Amino acid sequence: MLDRKDPVNKGDRNKIYFLIVVIAALLGTNAFLYFKDKHEKERFVTTNTEKERLKLEVEKIEVEFDKVNTMNVALTDKLQQEQQLARAKISSLKQALQKGEVTQAELAKAQEELKKLRSFLSDYKEDFSRLEKENTFLRAERDSLARSVTSVSAKASSLEKKNSELNAKVKSGAALKAFNVRLQAFKVKNSGKNVEVTKASTAKKLTTYFNIVPNQLAEKDYHKIYLRVFDPSGNLIADEQNMFEADGQEMQYSDMITISYNNDDTAYLIDWVNPKPFVKGTYAIILYANGFTMGKASISLR
């Protein structure tokens, strides 16, 4: 029996084996590159996702700082320095995360900084809250003190007013008051003798007679008595330079004398010479002492 010849010789078989090995190698390489590319894409996606998450966390922390700072609280120097430091870290993190590509090492560093920043924010908010409570307490104390001061001021004003009223009453009570006030007109003869008259044409002066009401409150001392004379038309006859104060206002006076008051029955008089001729009608006088009206009188001349 004859042996059949193998249509594929040994050399061809070797070539086939080689091709199979090459194809297998190519398939393996392609598979490796495929899975490597897939892994790189997944890693890139994961990196971008983490970067975006960190950016959101940084923005949230920044919003928290803004929210805390909207409270009307005066910050201490320490809190102001801490806030500036936190703002600088937030700005640095935002700049780092805005880069086109971020490595895993950079992400890890950012995560660590963010962790510190969260802890820092927690402590900052706690200090801020404590400071706000202290300020609220201090404002309440201040308002309470202000109300107390207002109340005390009101009481002091009321007491001052009452004291002024009492002083006015005492002053009024101590003022000299006249009684038995009489007014007479006189002409003066060449001899110097005074003769009472009733006609305006012959009158030269008016004499006011008065007594003083006994007053234990009045000071036994010298007192100024002011006289104001009004003509029949109601016009004051006085020198504009002669001024005094009575009944709460500045006034002009016609004449003034100083008496020594001893709380006795002494009678007093004031002579007033008219610088103008007398006219027919009624002349009136008002006496003042110690800033108050003392007495009044009038006389009619024909």
Side-chain angles (χ1 to χ4, degrees), residues 202-259:
T202 56
K204 294 297 180 182
K205 69 176 182 178
L206 295 177
T207 300
T208 304
Y209 300 91
F210 62 94
N211 295 85
I212 296 178
V213 177
N215 188 346
Q216 295 294 333
L217 297 177
E219 292 185 17
K220 294 180 180 180
D221 200 350
Y222 289 99
H223 295 261
K224 291 182 178 180
I225 310 298
Y226 295 92
L227 172 72
R228 280 161 59 90
V229 181
F230 297 87
D231 66 18
S233 298
N235 298 316
L236 174 68
I237 306 174
D239 188 332
E240 62 181 11
Q241 295 181 348
N242 295 337
M243 302 294 296
F244 76 111
E245 184 176 342
D247 296 332
Q249 59 183 322
E250 290 287 331
M251 298 182 183
Q252 293 177 339
Y253 63 87
S254 305
D255 204 353
M256 183 271 293
I257 64 170
T258 300
I259 66 169

Side-chain angles (χ1 to χ4, degrees), residues 151-164:
S151 177
V152 170
S153 297
K155 290 180 179 178
S157 297
S158 177
L159 288 174
E160 185 177 0
K161 183 180 179 181
K162 290 181 179 179
N163 189 48
S164 297

Side-chain angles (χ1 to χ4, degrees), residues 281-293:
T282 300
Y283 283 80
I285 62 96
I286 304 177
L287 295 173
Y288 295 87
N290 310 113
F292 297 93
T293 301

